Amino acid sequence: MIAKQIKGKDFYGLLAYNQKKVEMGQAVVLDANIDLDTAVEMTKEFNVIRQLRPRLGKAVYHVSLNLPPDEKMSDKEFVSMGLDYLNGMGFDDNQYIMYRHDDQSHQHIHIVANRVKLSGELVSDSKDYERSERLVRKLEIKYGLSELPDTTLERRAALTQKEIEKSLRTGNAPIKSILQQQLGEALKRSNNTEEFIHQLRSRDIRPKFNISKTTGRVSGISFRYEGIIYKGSSLGRKYSWNNIIKQIDYEQIRDRTVILENNHPEQGNKGAVAQDTGSSRNVGGETKDAAGGTIQISEKPKYDLGGTQKNDLDDDPFTPFKMELEDFDRWKRRKKRKKRRL
């Protein structure tokens, strides 16, 4: 089902349009909590309540609820669903009138409502598109309608002109598109954080969780693929950390260990490499021993197209003790400067 919302200033024009449809036999009134009369008289009734908010510009709320093709509902079911929609959007004490239109091949209803409640309160329109999408998905399940994907999450970040030109020039698919597809598959196959990390690594995608040094909470996520780093949010809303945790089972305390292990794997191996530095040399970003064998490859990302934070993928461990020492040093320096001023 698709919901289309419009906010306007004029009740009369909208009511006159719908009344004309009724007179032509292309619409019927299904339900209302105002007196059914001419468009002029109904406008007056809406405006009585509207005056409780005289400075409000757009008091008119108009939404159409459109069923998928070939799916049908009775008038009683339409009324029930329309009222569920109004209540879900915050119109639980508002004037309204509900019409069913028969001028299209698919069944649909139109609802005209007053954003000003009978109490004088105003129905908020904050994030009303996202709230409507979530509500419609629930109504599809309740009334047995075909379920559409959540478009608030499915929207992907568009390719830039440079990415398109590079793809045409090289004949290779854009990295961003590949990442979006691979991340989508990884999310589908993951039930929790550990499985999500495993799915990413099996696709040669290295995730890096941005962890707040003050709270220890995960504040974001970046992905490295073929030497290129993207912030999750730069790939599309579905891939931001706040939306990823809506699609998998995540708990901060439980998953802290697996997240830290992902960010800083095998710290002991770095020490082993450091012991060989006396008989090794660095050649083109690779550490080679005296016999010319490769010990370690230090590969840096080619580009940072997602605007990641500085040193976002460095392997420095998260050490609260180190942070305390740094804070203590800063405190000593401030104290010395204070003494010198005295």
Side-chain angles (χ1 to χ4, degrees), residues 323-342:
M323 290 164 51
E324 291 175 8
L325 291 178
E326 292 173 351
D327 291 340
F328 180 66
D329 289 340
R330 284 195 294 271
W331 175 80
K332 287 196 301 182
R333 288 196 296 271
R334 286 197 299 270
K335 190 173 182 180
K336 286 181 180 179
R337 286 197 296 269
K338 185 175 181 181
K339 284 184 176 181
R340 284 197 294 269
R341 286 197 295 271
L342 295 174

Side-chain angles (χ1 to χ4, degrees), residues 153-154 156 179-193 195-203 205 209 221 223 232 235-250:
L153 295 181
E154 289 297 325
R156 297 180 175 184
L179 255 181
Q180 289 168 334
Q181 180 181 6
Q182 293 293 331
L183 289 174
E185 289 297 319
L187 284 168
K188 289 179 182 178
R189 298 173 183 270
S190 303
N191 293 318
N192 53 48
T193 308
E195 290 179 4
F196 181 52
I197 293 173
H198 173 72
Q199 286 290 331
L200 293 176
R201 289 188 172 275
S202 70
R203 291 168 165 78
I205 299 172
F209 298 86
I221 189 170
F223 304 98
L235 296 169
R237 296 183 60 179
K238 179 178 181 179
Y239 312 111
S240 69
W241 179 244
N242 286 337
N243 280 319
I244 285 174
I245 60 179
K246 294 177 182 177
Q247 303 169 71
I248 61 174
D249 177 21
Y250 165 74

Side-chain angles (χ1 to χ4, degrees), residues 288-300:
K288 296 183 178 291
D289 60 16
T294 300
I295 296 176
Q296 179 187 21
I297 298 176
S298 178
E299 180 185 354
K300 292 185 177 181

Side-chain angles (χ1 to χ4, degrees), residues 136-181:
V136 166
R137 301 290 82 81
K138 294 178 181 178
L139 294 178
E140 286 171 341
I141 296 173
K142 180 176 180 178
Y143 290 94
L145 300 171
S146 298
E147 297 179 45
L148 298 179
D150 191 339
T151 57
T152 62
L153 295 181
E154 289 297 325
R155 284 179 286 177
R156 297 180 175 184
L159 296 174
T160 65
Q161 185 63 30
K162 288 185 178 180
E163 288 169 329
I164 295 173
E165 291 175 354
K166 181 180 178 181
S167 178
L168 294 174
R169 185 173 63 254
T170 62
N172 298 325
I175 296 296
K176 181 186 286 187
S177 297
I178 296 174
L179 255 181
Q180 289 168 334
Q181 180 181 6

Side-chain angles (χ1 to χ4, degrees), residues 78-258:
F78 257 134
V79 171
S80 177
M81 185 175 69
L83 292 176
D84 283 345
Y85 182 88
L86 285 174
N87 289 329
M89 293 298 291
F91 293 83
D92 53 0
D93 185 32
N94 301 67
Q95 297 168 309
Y96 71 88
I97 182 169
M98 190 183 306
Y99 299 89
R100 189 197 75 223
H101 284 204
D102 300 314
D103 55 348
Q104 301 290 332
S105 59
H106 65 280
Q107 285 193 337
H108 62 286
I109 61 173
H110 289 255
I111 303 175
V112 181
N114 198 334
R115 290 186 60 213
V116 182
K117 292 176 176 284
L118 298 176
S119 63
E121 296 180 23
L122 178 65
V123 176
S124 172
D125 60 352
S126 175
K127 297 184 178 179
D128 57 354
Y129 177 83
E130 289 83 357
R131 290 190 290 118
S132 175
E133 286 291 295
R134 289 193 294 269
L135 177 58
V136 166
R137 301 290 82 81
K138 294 178 181 178
L139 294 178
E140 286 171 341
I141 296 173
K142 180 176 180 178
Y143 290 94
L145 300 171
S146 298
E147 297 179 45
L148 298 179
D150 191 339
T151 57
T152 62
L153 295 181
E154 289 297 325
R155 284 179 286 177
R156 297 180 175 184
L159 296 174
T160 65
Q161 185 63 30
K162 288 185 178 180
E163 288 169 329
I164 295 173
E165 291 175 354
K166 181 180 178 181
S167 178
L168 294 174
R169 185 173 63 254
T170 62
N172 298 325
I175 296 296
K176 181 186 286 187
S177 297
I178 296 174
L179 255 181
Q180 289 168 334
Q181 180 181 6
Q182 293 293 331
L183 289 174
E185 289 297 319
L187 284 168
K188 289 179 182 178
R189 298 173 183 270
S190 303
N191 293 318
N192 53 48
T193 308
E194 186 173 5
E195 290 179 4
F196 181 52
I197 293 173
H198 173 72
Q199 286 290 331
L200 293 176
R201 289 188 172 275
S202 70
R203 291 168 165 78
D204 295 324
I205 299 172
R206 180 181 172 185
K208 175 64 183 283
F209 298 86
N210 302 328
I211 302 175
S212 170
K213 290 184 178 181
T214 55
T215 66
R217 291 180 178 274
V218 177
S219 58
I221 189 170
S222 302
F223 304 98
R224 174 170 151 178
Y225 182 67
E226 293 190 359
I228 302 179
I229 302 170
Y230 281 93
K231 274 187 176 181
S233 57
S234 72
L235 296 169
R237 296 183 60 179
K238 179 178 181 179
Y239 312 111
S240 69
W241 179 244
N242 286 337
N243 280 319
I244 285 174
I245 60 179
K246 294 177 182 177
Q247 303 169 71
I248 61 174
D249 177 21
Y250 165 74
E251 291 183 11
Q252 180 187 349
I253 297 176
R254 182 198 66 194
D255 295 335
R256 179 172 176 77
T257 299
V258 69

